Amino acid sequence: MNPEELLQKNVSHQLTAEAHGHDVRVCMGAGCMSLHSDQIKSALTAQVKQHGRDKSCHVKGVGCMGLCAAGPLVSVEPQGVLYKEVTEEDAGEIIDSLNKAPVARLICPTDTPFFQNQMKIVLENCGKIDPERIEEYVNADGYIALIKALTEMTPNDVITQVMRSGLRGRGGGGYPTGLKWTTVAKADGTQKYVICNGDEGDPGAFMDRGVMEGDPHRLIEAMAIAGYAVGADTGYIFVRGEYSMSVKRLRKAIMQAERQALLGKNIFNTPFSFQIEVRIGAGAFVSGEETALIACIEGRRGVPSPRPPYPAERGLWGCPTLINNVETLANIPSIIRNGADWFSNIGTRTGKGTVVFAMTGRVQNTGLIEVPMGTPLREVIFDIGGGVPDGGTFKAVQMGGPSGGCIPEQYLDMPIDFDSLLEIGAIMGSGGMLVIDDSASMVDMAKFFMEFCRIESCGKCVPCRVGTVQMHELLIRFSEGTATERDLVLLEELCDLVRHTSLCGLGQSAPNPVLSTLRYFRHEYMAQIRPDFGANGVDTHESRSTS
Amino acid sequence: MKTVKSAAPSTDNRWRIVDAAMRRLGFQPHALIETLHVTQETFGFLDEDALRYIAATLGVPLSQVYGVATFYRAFTLKPKGAHHTCVVCTGTACHLKGLPEILAALEAELGLSPGGSTPDGKAALMTARCLASCGLAPAAVFDGKMVGNLTSATALKRIRQWVEHES
Ligand SMILES: Cc1cc2nc3c(=O)[nH]c(=O)nc-3n(C[C@H](O)[C@H](O)[C@H](O)COP(=O)(O)O)c2cc1C
Ligand code: FES
């Protein structure tokens, strides 16, 4: 029996969607939910009843549709229309129009670059399927990759595919995923673990949340495949404490998968067993760092430990542990299903596949987007993003949050991948993309991120604990216009020191926002230096008046 | 498997919820953070009795329980005083799109600063690291209800409503 047949046979509840005439999808992503899309869903459901269309129309909640800026969003299939800025009052009209022309005043055009220029792998189901129903995921080819792996491939075959796909980690480091899997698979020990890192600490990123809430089964499938490949029987999904909806959806998905024998003992009657537990973070940026995250799961303070040993050799409870980011794992089912060659044909030479960005700030189309690696930033910001609104002028784009850097206009045509970004002092990071226009001060942005690092520093190592405080103090002086030339020298020295001597990535990358703004917007720092302060920091004004 | 070995701090039935959480994870020391989450959800905060009880039941030194409870931002050792809470997002996009001005207005007009409450103690202002609604920046949560595209005027209006409503 091939994987498809196996699934058909086993997932008992068959989808009733095809029987329905219309599928009305209401976005229940974080952005639309904050505009109370849940109430719109209730209103639509009530209208369906009122119109007596219960049998021919199905209203469902789906994950983030991407264009959060135009929310709340509602789409109707098979009509293929997207409605924007929908209110409860519009519900009647929308249901009324199902067999007629769509409601013109609410239509959100989808022939725009925002929809046409994207390429979805990680987010392929987001905004389409009901994340709370396993049947919908299965109907979208879900769990086929897992069954294919378990029934047609050896663990080594799986790793070979991941290796050949060229997939690199999306959690910040860009480490080759296949290599990491190999290390864990080869590590000594009978007990191994898989951890999915859903801590998403960057204060401007919501890609992982989009996947956890919009397509949770995808992660479960990926983790089980990873477990099979490296020889682990237990997985943990570590979710940021603030993401209560993600926790709820993941837990529900795990239960559903267990019921269908897609998780648990002897999955699909193979010798492979795998269980997954959700663990909730408790609010500490540093606990997204892998060694700190492991401490957190073990019930300790989430502070990092020196590496090596790397978790791949000695991780959770001293056992070899595979730890991957949400977005990294979300690529796995597609790679196994479509093959490594399919994946490695997308992107650039050193960056394969797609990348998901949470685009925010001074840009028209704020939201969640996915583009092939190598897409120039100009296309992302000006075509897909729709450029800077309200007649503002683009100044820079900040990528990678508190560990990243900013990219000025002159590099916008460069294809984005891990290496090209590093070269110009930014990082791919976790995928937060903040568009900055000329109304913002770059010194202020650097100060903002440094304050974040200062607060989030766990205090274990001195350079980071003390250095971030000192750098923040200096940046306050710059932003208030009371800095001296000596402060600039000091700031640069500190950046260098903290970067090279901190224990973990938090401290090592904390200077990045300062260094990159100094590199491209040094004049903004210079403009904040008090002219009557001498080069040695002595107030020449004062020394004159007292003498 | 271990069983509950120390008695709950009181006969309050809510301790059963805490016990259930610890039991689910086999009373293992690594159940600590989960247990603290559940306890806080149940009681609103973590008092000394709770910390001692959890320490004894999971066999974790009290110092470690205290260390963990004070390390993470999600846990609080003090009861929440105010009736109403406003949680403003201090994430990057909200910062860029005018949160500093809103905070300044709340401070100037209502004497409300992050971590504090209004002089009558009715409304408290808290901050969150990115509510992941950056598309609607600036964003805040008023008594559990998310509000996007926040302005100083709407923030002031909502908090004034709370304060005036109750007097
Ligand atoms: C301070 C700090 C915070 C981090 N936060 C996250 C995070 O929130 N999510 C994440 O996936 N990785 C985070 N990382 C990176 C992880 O340590 C780890 O490299 C990553 O989860 C590995 O997954 P990948 O190989 O799939 O990228 C962080 C690292 C540091 C130093
Ligand atoms: S939350 Fe609805 S489009 Fe993003």
Side-chain angles (χ1 to χ4, degrees):
Chain A
M1 227 185 285
N2 67 27
E4 284 88 348
E5 286 165 351
L6 267 171
L7 263 177
Q8 291 298 327
K9 190 169 148 271
N10 284 274
V11 177
S12 45
H13 312 276
Q14 280 312 310
L15 262 196
T16 43
E18 290 88 351
H20 290 302
H22 288 97
D23 220 17
V24 179
R25 302 168 180 171
V26 186
C27 179
M28 303 290 247
C32 292
M33 272 294 259
S34 65
L35 297 167
H36 315 299
S37 56
D38 49 336
Q39 291 165 16
I40 295 168
K41 183 174 164 236
S42 310
L44 284 164
T45 312
Q47 283 296 333
V48 167
K49 272 222 173 70
Q50 225 172 45
H51 282 75
R53 305 194 56 144
D54 311 43
K55 294 257 150 23
S56 64
C57 177
H58 177 60
V59 180
K60 70 183 187 191
V62 296
C64 179
M65 292 182 175
L67 190 54
C68 309
L73 295 174
V74 172
S75 76
V76 182
E77 297 298 330
Q79 269 183 322
V81 276
L82 181 67
Y83 292 124
K84 62 175 181 184
E85 292 162 19
V86 178
T87 63
E88 282 175 69
E89 288 74 48
D90 299 327
E93 215 175 322
I94 291 176
I95 301 301
D96 207 38
S97 76
L98 284 184
N99 288 331
K100 306 180 209 150
V103 187
R105 71 184 166 85
L106 295 174
I107 287 184
C108 179
T110 51
D111 55 354
T112 57
F114 183 88
F115 293 97
Q116 300 301 322
N117 296 13
Q118 292 197 50
M119 177 178 201
K120 303 214 171 175
I121 298 175
V122 170
L123 300 176
E124 64 178 349
N125 294 331
C126 255
K128 295 203 179 108
I129 66 167
D130 181 345
E132 304 202 8
R133 297 183 67 209
I134 189 171
E135 298 85 352
E136 297 219 358
Y137 181 64
V138 168
N139 208 38
D141 292 341
Y143 287 110
I144 285 183
L146 174 61
I147 295 172
K148 183 174 168 192
L150 294 184
T151 57
E152 295 172 6
M153 300 166 84
T154 64
N156 213 7
D157 292 341
V158 176
I159 293 181
T160 308
Q161 288 293 312
V162 175
M163 192 82 114
R164 281 194 29 228
S165 74
L167 177 65
R168 291 170 66 176
R170 306 289 197 251
Y175 191 81
T177 308
L179 218 52
K180 206 187 257 189
W181 288 30
T182 310
T183 314
V184 181
K186 285 199 178 138
D188 288 330
T190 45
Q191 181 66 59
K192 293 176 186 176
Y193 295 100
V194 172
I195 296 176
C196 170
N197 189 343
D199 199 44
E200 194 153 72
D202 171 358
F206 46 94
M207 305 77 48
D208 295 350
R209 178 184 196 164
V211 177
M212 291 189 283
E213 292 184 5
D215 200 8
H217 281 285
R218 191 179 197 83
L219 282 181
I220 292 170
E221 179 176 15
M223 286 177 73
I225 295 171
Y228 176 68
V230 303
D233 66 355
T234 304
Y236 289 91
I237 308 185
F238 188 87
V239 186
R240 204 181 115 140
E242 287 86 344
Y243 290 179
S244 50
M245 180 69 88
S246 302
V247 172
K248 193 180 134 229
R249 298 234 170 109
L250 285 165
R251 287 205 164 130
K252 188 160 189 178
I254 290 170
M255 246 169 53
Q256 292 172 340
E258 283 170 349
R259 215 175 295 140
Q260 303 294 344
L262 292 161
L263 271 184
K265 281 230 169 326
N266 301 109
I267 296 176
F268 263 85
N269 296 323
T270 63
F272 177 64
S273 300
F274 194 72
Q275 53 167 0
I276 299 180
E277 239 191 76
V278 177
R279 284 301 175 89
I280 308 171
F285 174 61
V286 73
S287 67
E289 194 277 337
E290 53 192 27
T291 59
L293 188 145
I294 286 170
C296 209
I297 294 181
E298 291 175 354
R300 296 183 285 121
R301 291 163 71 110
V303 292
S305 326
R307 299 174 309 174
Y310 286 89
E313 295 147 0
R314 193 131 44 87
L316 192 58
W317 292 300
C319 302
T321 302
L322 173 71
I323 174 160
N324 272 136
N325 164 262
V326 166
E327 191 186 326
T328 313
L329 285 169
N331 279 293
I332 297 292
S334 302
I335 291 173
I336 299 299
R337 211 168 48 212
N338 303 328
D341 295 334
W342 163 80
F343 190 81
S344 64
N345 271 326
I346 305 165
T348 64
R349 201 173 53 79
T350 52
K352 301 297 185 192
T354 57
V355 55
V356 181
F357 289 116
M359 195 157 45
T360 62
R362 302 279 179 195
V363 61
Q364 192 78 43
N365 300 330
T366 52
L368 209 52
I369 62 153
E370 181 171 359
V371 291
M373 290 266 186
T375 307
L377 276 171
R378 192 182 298 283
E379 186 180 333
V380 174
I381 296 165
F382 288 90
D383 296 342
I384 297 175
V388 179
D390 310 325
T393 310
F394 175 88
K395 183 164 168 182
V397 54
Q398 212 281 349
M399 290 179 68
S403 322
C406 65
I407 300 159
E409 165 88 33
Q410 75 238 47
Y411 292 109
L412 285 187
D413 293 309
M414 190 192 70
I416 23 177
D417 73 9
F418 299 97
D419 305 312
S420 64
L421 284 175
L422 267 184
E423 247 165 61
I424 57 170
I427 59 166
M428 182 73 89
S430 50
M433 182 187 257
L434 180 84
V435 179
I436 299 170
D437 71 357
D438 54 3
S439 68
S441 140
M442 299 312 281
V443 175
D444 182 62
M445 285 317 298
K447 185 183 82 166
F448 171 82
F449 285 120
M450 190 55 73
E451 184 181 11
F452 178 89
C453 292
R454 191 205 75 200
I455 295 171
E456 296 296 334
S457 170
C458 74
K460 184 166 175 173
C461 77
V462 179
C464 170
R465 181 179 68 222
V466 182
T468 50
V469 174
Q470 296 304 326
M471 287 190 285
H472 184 228
E473 288 294 320
L474 287 169
L475 288 166
I476 289 177
R477 278 189 226 167
F478 278 98
S479 89
E480 288 174 349
T482 56
T484 64
E485 268 170 42
R486 212 181 98 77
D487 288 338
L488 189 60
V489 177
L490 207 58
L491 183 63
E492 289 190 302
E493 278 176 11
L494 268 172
C495 281
D496 191 57
L497 182 106
V498 173
R499 184 182 215 181
H500 289 106
T501 57
S502 292
L503 171 63
C504 84
L506 195 158
Q508 288 158 13
S509 62
N512 286 355
V514 182
L515 288 169
S516 95
T517 44
L518 272 171
R519 180 162 164 188
Y520 299 118
F521 298 95
R522 198 178 184 87
H523 55 275
E524 292 196 19
Y525 284 83
M526 299 310 286
Q528 295 296 95
I529 291 180
R530 249 172 79 165
D532 50 352
F533 271 46
N536 52 4
V538 177
D539 189 334
T540 45
H541 228 79
E542 215 165 88
S543 46
R544 241 182 284 130
S545 54
T546 46
S547 59
Chain B
M1 192 187 275
K2 284 186 273 181
T3 49
V4 182
K5 53 184 174 187
S6 65
S10 70
T11 52
D12 192 328
N13 268 338
R14 287 179 290 177
W15 287 109
R16 287 194 196 161
I17 303 174
V18 176
D19 287 341
M22 293 192 280
R23 191 173 310 115
R24 199 175 60 78
L25 293 172
F27 298 103
Q28 298 278 332
H30 68 79
L32 178 57
I33 293 178
E34 286 297 300
T35 310
L36 293 176
H37 268 302
V38 172
T39 313
Q40 173 149 317
E41 251 169 53
T42 313
F43 292 94
F45 70 109
L46 305 165
D47 64 6
E48 196 184 315
D49 284 346
L51 297 184
R52 283 186 187 280
Y53 175 59
I54 294 167
T57 314
L58 297 179
V60 178
L62 184 59
S63 59
Q64 193 187 324
V65 175
Y66 182 77
V68 168
T70 49
F71 178 79
Y72 296 101
R73 201 173 329 110
F75 302 128
T76 162
L77 305 191
K78 279 187 277 177
K80 213 173 72 177
H83 294 297
H84 300 283
T85 49
C86 167
V87 185
V88 290
C89 178
T90 57
T92 317
C94 293
H95 177 81
L96 184 78
K97 286 196 156 179
L99 178 75
E101 288 80 40
I102 297 174
L103 286 180
L106 292 181
E107 168 95 64
E109 302 271 325
L110 297 170
L112 196 53
S113 58
S117 46
T118 46
D120 59 5
K122 278 183 191 145
L125 183 66
M126 302 195 288
T127 56
R129 274 275 176 256
C130 194
L131 298 167
S133 299
C134 314
L136 298 155
V141 177
F142 292 84
D143 278 346
K145 212 168 164 182
M146 166 82 80
V147 178
N149 297 321
L150 194 69
T151 61
S152 300
T154 43
L156 283 169
K157 195 172 128 207
R158 280 177 177 267
I159 294 173
R160 282 210 175 101
Q161 262 170 4
W162 288 339
V163 176
E164 281 154 23
H165 203 74
E166 309 249 321
S167 51

